[in-house]
């Protein structure tokens, strides 16, 4: 189901930065956990970062740890992904997603498959190239 809207993607040089935004137009995210995924051509969709409903717990994939930061602004109905020191291998379509709506405060493991998530956006393209 398409419930989220992602924005902020684009073309950036290696070493550059982008900030992705995720919001929901049909509902309030509230205190639901949100996970950022990414998918490159020919690759499985993989979890990148998750933030729980109260910003008490954040999980990151090893490949982005120390470079990406997930955050949220619940009153603004927004979730963000700050991406620094971008590498060509970060090139992918980035999605935000939730497993369920409501009663979803805690993050699942970052290795959870995309099939476990029922609510998605259409994604935003991030291309890292010189």
């Amino acid at each position: 189901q398409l419930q989220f809207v992602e924005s902020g993607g684009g073309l950036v040089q290696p070493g550059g930065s982008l900030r992705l935004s995720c919001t929901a137009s049909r509902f309030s995210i509230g205190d639901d956990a949100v996970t950022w995924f990414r998918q490159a051509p020919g690759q499985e969709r993989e979890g990148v970062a998750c933030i729980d409903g109260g910003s008490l717990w954040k999980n990151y994939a090893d490949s982005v740890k120390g470079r990406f930061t997930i955050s949220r602004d619940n009153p603004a109905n927004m979730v963000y992904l700050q991406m620094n020191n971008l590498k060509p291998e970060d090139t992918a379509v980035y999605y935000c997603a939730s497993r369920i709506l409501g009663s979803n405060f805690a993050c699942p493991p970052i290795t959870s498959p995309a099939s476990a998530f029922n609510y998605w956006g259409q994604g935003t393209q991030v291309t890292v190239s010189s």
Side-chain angles (χ1 to χ4, degrees):
Q1 300 186 43
L2 296 178
Q3 299 287 347
F4 295 100
V5 179
E6 303 94 341
S7 62
L11 175 64
V12 65
Q13 294 183 355
S17 297
L18 285 173
R19 188 194 195 197
L20 306 183
S21 298
C22 170
T23 191
S25 60
R26 297 179 182 269
F27 68 101
S28 296
I29 300 172
D31 61 358
D32 288 336
V34 175
T35 297
W36 283 97
F37 281 80
R38 68 185 182 186
Q39 187 168 24
Q43 303 288 318
E44 295 292 316
R45 193 171 296 186
E46 63 176 352
V48 174
C50 180
I51 186 167
D52 76 8
S55 300
L56 302 176
W57 191 271
K58 302 172 185 178
N59 295 335
Y60 297 96
D62 289 342
S63 59
V64 307
K65 198 169 298 181
R67 299 188 298 121
F68 291 10
T69 302
I70 190 169
S71 62
R72 68 192 298 157
D73 183 349
N74 287 358
N77 201 33
M78 298 290 291
V79 180
Y80 305 101
L81 185 68
Q82 178 68 45
M83 305 184 295
N84 297 327
N85 191 24
L86 283 161
K87 304 175 180 180
E89 51 263 44
D90 295 318
T91 296
V93 177
Y94 284 72
Y95 305 85
C96 56
S98 286
R99 295 176 299 158
I100 59 174
L101 303 182
S103 300
N104 184 31
F105 186 90
C107 279
I110 198 64
T111 54
S112 297
S115 60
F117 293 75
N118 294 303
Y119 299 95
W120 296 86
Q122 290 194 323
T124 184
Q125 176 72 50
V126 172
T127 302
V128 184
S129 176
S130 60

